[in-house]
Amino acid sequence: MTTATNSNNPTIRKRFKLKLFWKILGWFWLTIVVLITLFSFIAYINSGKVHFRVLPPPIMMELENATVKAQNYFNRTETRQGRSKRRMREVFILNSQGEEYLGRPVPAILSELHSRVQRADRPLTAFRKQEAFVGGLPLQIQGEPYRLYMQQRSRMFSVHLVRSFFRDITKTLLFAVFVISFPVSFLLSWVITKPIRQFQLATQEIKANLANRSNLVKLNNRSDEFGELAQDFEDMANHLSRLLSSQKQLVSDVSHELRSPLSRLKIALGLMEKNSQDKNIERIKLEARRMEDMLENILTLSRLDADEIDTQKEPCDLSKIVQSVINDAQFEASEASINIKSQILPNCDLRGVQEALYSGIENIIRNAVRYTGQGGTITITLENTDDHYLLTVADSGPGVPEDELDSLFEPFYRAEFARTRETGGVGLGLSIAKRAFALNGGTITAKNIEPHGLAILVYFKTT
């Protein structure tokens, strides 16, 4: 129904929504990656493997200072050298054969470090969980070549151990993340969200047709909470179906029962008009016609919902049907000084139910006449666009709020501004049109047009 456009309504912005599947996938993936990394690091530091690295600058400077001091001690007199042996217990001095100058046992990690330093001919560091040695700078003692090493606290190398871990297992970690953890996370997320997707499909099916419950049946077969929820959902759908059926039956029965007294009322009005000049008789006749139209619309909608209309499709010319409806609407439009402009493409052949097509087209054109207003213009076009016929009925009325466009095709829906005595109607015309066109494979939409007005667009697939 055409109503005034509320230009003050703020534009509704759609918020970005991250689907539950991707949220679950992200959390699963992050959790698995953290666990893989943590367990790998624990295994790495407990493996006992010795790691060798080039000395960082601060440690190198400390080693150089220690080597200079040691060389100074050994360059002094024999007495001072004896004293220096006691003072040099904090370092290890190894010859080319790996023997310690003070005769102390050499740890295995230091022995391996000494071999590597001699091969590389440069200072290195060796560390593992609880041991760390640095060194390899050369010095001379009584003309014999030695190399100096210092034992460090392992906690000083905690950062280096972490860096070494990531450097050593980067490829393995990437493989675990992308080849193992991602597919596992994807599978878990898919399994968890599958019932939710089925519920979404089930609600869409029920929204289109309460009798269509194929996805709900699949969920009912589950033995978990989703199955119980599906059963509750089906019970609710059955309850709604019974309520709607009762409502439709009641409306249909009442409409049928009202037709007889309405017919008698019209006969009585005809007799009164012959014998009386009361001006109120015309008003009563107008209201009687409106009531008759309303009952006819209710019965038509009831027949379409109950599939009681003849659905046998046959070849028909959409152009002739549209033109016939326009000719019938001209009389009603002329009373309100409404100008109907039409541009109808001839020979628009399709297979359809002619009764439903005529009813749907009649309702959208009469709706345009009703809401265009005195002296307005209605433009009707029928054209061929790609593989569709497009029927457009545009009026010069005030239009409707954007957020109410989709609701125009719901039964008994009328925007608040449209509820006036002058326009009449109960909000069934466009609902009947939607069902009538759907019976013929057509779709109907509505949009506002500039500077004001409403356009109804109907698409039919060409044969």
Side-chain angles (χ1 to χ4, degrees):
M1 305 305 174
T2 311
T3 59
T5 304
N6 187 355
S7 58
N8 295 325
N9 282 347
T11 302
I12 299 175
R13 296 181 180 178
K14 293 184 178 180
R15 296 177 58 189
F16 173 76
K17 293 181 180 180
L18 187 63
K19 288 191 175 182
L20 181 62
F21 171 80
W22 296 110
K23 292 180 182 178
I24 295 176
L25 174 61
W27 281 110
F28 268 131
W29 194 18
L30 179 63
T31 301
I32 293 176
V33 168
V34 170
L35 290 176
I36 289 177
T37 305
L38 180 61
F39 288 132
S40 300
F41 182 71
I42 293 174
Y44 184 82
I45 62 177
N46 289 325
S47 65
K49 179 182 177 181
V50 180
H51 310 283
F52 300 92
R53 295 287 180 268
V54 177
L55 287 177
I59 303 299
M60 187 66 181
M61 291 180 60
E62 184 179 350
L63 179 64
E64 289 174 348
N65 293 333
T67 303
V68 170
K69 290 180 180 179
Q71 188 65 69
N72 290 336
Y73 281 129
F74 287 112
N75 287 340
R76 296 176 183 175
T77 61
E78 189 68 22
T79 303
R80 296 296 299 273
Q81 287 179 7
R83 193 182 305 167
S84 70
K85 289 182 180 182
R86 292 191 297 271
R87 299 184 65 177
M88 296 298 291
R89 295 182 187 277
E90 299 177 358
V91 299
F92 287 81
I93 301 175
L94 276 63
N95 61 16
S96 58
Q97 286 76 36
E99 298 171 344
E100 211 276 324
Y101 176 72
L102 298 179
R104 292 175 294 178
V106 179
I109 182 175
L110 177 57
S111 180
E112 190 173 352
L113 173 62
H114 182 59
S115 299
R116 292 207 175 207
V117 167
Q118 290 189 109
R119 289 197 300 270
D121 194 24
R122 64 175 179 176
L124 298 172
T125 176
F127 56 91
R128 56 187 174 187
K129 183 180 179 182
Q130 295 179 339
E131 293 181 287
F133 285 90
V134 299
L137 285 178
L139 75 163
Q140 296 286 327
I141 302 178
Q142 297 178 350
E144 295 293 330
Y146 287 85
R147 290 184 182 272
L148 183 140
Y149 298 90
M150 296 190 305
Q151 187 172 13
Q152 298 284 336
R153 295 180 181 180
S154 59
R155 61 184 178 87
M156 293 182 63
F157 284 84
S158 58
V159 175
H160 301 296
L161 189 62
V162 172
R163 290 176 179 172
S164 177
F165 164 73
F166 283 106
R167 187 183 299 113
D168 289 346
I169 71 159
T170 297
K171 293 182 179 179
T172 305
L173 186 61
L174 289 175
F175 177 83
V177 167
F178 289 102
V179 179
I180 299 177
S181 67
F182 186 82
V184 171
S185 302
F186 189 92
L187 180 62
L188 289 173
S189 303
W190 183 267
V191 170
I192 291 174
T193 57
K194 182 179 179 181
I196 299 175
R197 292 192 300 274
Q198 287 182 316
F199 264 115
Q200 186 179 23
L201 292 175
T203 55
Q204 292 172 354
E205 286 179 345
I206 292 175
K207 179 182 178 182
N209 186 353
L210 271 174
N212 193 355
R213 304 178 190 177
S214 57
N215 281 285
L216 202 57
V217 171
K218 295 177 183 178
L219 287 166
N220 272 334
N221 295 329
R222 296 178 65 98
S223 57
D224 55 10
E225 288 79 358
F226 283 111
E228 296 175 359
L229 181 59
Q231 183 60 54
D232 294 338
F233 202 86
E234 185 172 21
D235 292 341
M236 180 186 68
N238 289 332
H239 180 64
L240 288 174
S241 182
R242 289 192 296 270
L243 288 177
L244 289 174
S245 297
S246 300
Q247 180 195 33
K248 291 176 181 178
Q249 187 62 45
L250 176 63
V251 170
S252 179
D253 292 345
V254 170
S255 300
H256 277 290
E257 292 299 323
L258 286 175
R259 296 187 76 177
S260 294
L262 183 60
S263 298
R264 292 193 293 270
L265 175 62
K266 291 175 66 177
I267 294 173
L269 284 172
L271 294 174
M272 287 178 62
E273 192 175 17
K274 293 180 180 180
N275 303 319
S276 174
Q277 299 298 322
D278 193 340
K279 295 181 180 180
N280 291 324
I281 293 179
E282 286 299 322
R283 183 64 183 183
I284 296 173
K285 288 175 63 179
L286 174 63
E287 297 298 336
R289 284 198 300 271
R290 287 179 173 175
M291 187 179 295
E292 186 177 29
D293 290 344
M294 179 184 68
L295 291 177
E296 189 63 35
N297 283 337
I298 292 175
L299 289 172
T300 301
L301 183 63
S302 178
R303 291 171 61 202
L304 288 169
D305 284 340
D307 294 329
E308 294 176 355
I309 195 170
D310 183 11
T311 57
Q312 184 66 35
K313 293 185 178 181
E314 56 187 359
C316 55
D317 188 346
L318 184 60
S319 307
K320 291 182 178 180
I321 297 175
V322 174
Q323 190 60 59
S324 176
V325 176
I326 292 174
N327 294 337
D328 292 341
Q330 287 284 4
F331 176 75
E332 186 178 350
S334 62
E335 291 183 344
S337 300
I338 296 173
N339 182 27
I340 297 181
K341 297 179 180 180
S342 62
Q343 186 174 352
I344 309 302
L345 179 70
N347 303 320
C348 294
D349 299 322
L350 56 76
R351 291 185 61 84
V353 182
Q354 292 199 44
E355 180 185 355
L357 282 171
Y358 189 94
S359 175
I361 296 170
E362 180 185 34
N363 272 284
I364 61 174
I365 293 179
R366 290 189 65 187
N367 182 80
V369 172
R370 180 179 292 117
Y371 294 102
T372 295
Q374 192 78 18
T377 301
I378 298 174
T379 303
I380 302 172
T381 60
L382 178 63
E383 55 188 326
N384 192 343
T385 59
D386 298 330
D387 58 344
H388 288 81
Y389 293 129
L390 172 59
L391 172 63
T392 305
V393 179
D395 62 50
S396 57
V400 299
E402 289 290 335
D403 58 349
E404 296 186 24
L405 286 174
D406 291 337
S407 302
L408 292 177
F409 305 101
E410 297 298 324
F412 300 102
Y413 178 84
R414 296 186 69 200
E416 189 64 31
F417 298 115
R419 298 182 183 277
T420 62
R421 292 287 296 175
E422 288 73 16
T423 58
V426 291
L428 288 174
L430 294 182
S431 179
I432 292 173
K434 179 180 179 180
R435 285 160 173 74
F437 295 144
L439 191 63
N440 289 277
T443 57
I444 183 171
T445 60
K447 69 176 183 178
N448 286 310
I449 56 178
E450 297 296 337
H452 55 80
L454 180 72
I456 302 295
L457 296 87
V458 187
Y459 295 87
F460 297 98
K461 289 185 178 180
T462 57
T463 54

